[in-house]
Amino acid sequence: MNLPMRINFEEKDYTYLIITKGITKLTTEIQINLNDREYQLVCNSIGDWDAVDATVNDTPGLLKAIGRNIKLRYRL
């Protein structure tokens, strides 16, 4: 059972689910569900998490903030 996680971005609250199970420091891909749409976050060479196939309409800044939030939460 996944519990929803919350983030505040640009003065708006968002709720997302982490679909990937068993996240560790060796994890290189994380699946999330945001607004009933699934995104894949991938760790780049400098340790930041970026969304694969994200468009301008998907708010890449929000997805990057979610990646930072997950990185801090799981100490990646």
Side-chain angles (χ1 to χ4, degrees), residues 2-66:
N2 293 335
L3 293 177
M5 295 184 70
R6 297 179 62 198
I7 189 169
N8 186 298
F9 182 75
E10 295 181 351
E11 299 181 17
K12 289 179 72 178
D13 288 326
Y14 296 91
T15 304
Y16 63 94
L17 293 172
I18 299 175
I19 299 170
T20 303
K21 302 285 186 202
I23 297 173
T24 66
K25 291 184 187 261
L26 301 175
T27 303
T28 58
E29 297 177 353
I30 298 174
Q31 292 284 117
I32 64 167
N33 184 321
L34 174 67
N35 297 333
D36 295 325
R37 186 149 180 234
E38 290 189 12
Y39 295 96
Q40 180 179 6
L41 302 178
V42 178
C43 186
N44 64 21
S45 60
I46 59 173
D48 291 336
W49 291 86
D50 296 318
V52 177
D53 298 334
T55 64
V56 174
N57 295 336
D58 294 330
T59 30
L62 173 60
L63 295 171
K64 193 159 199 71
I66 290 172

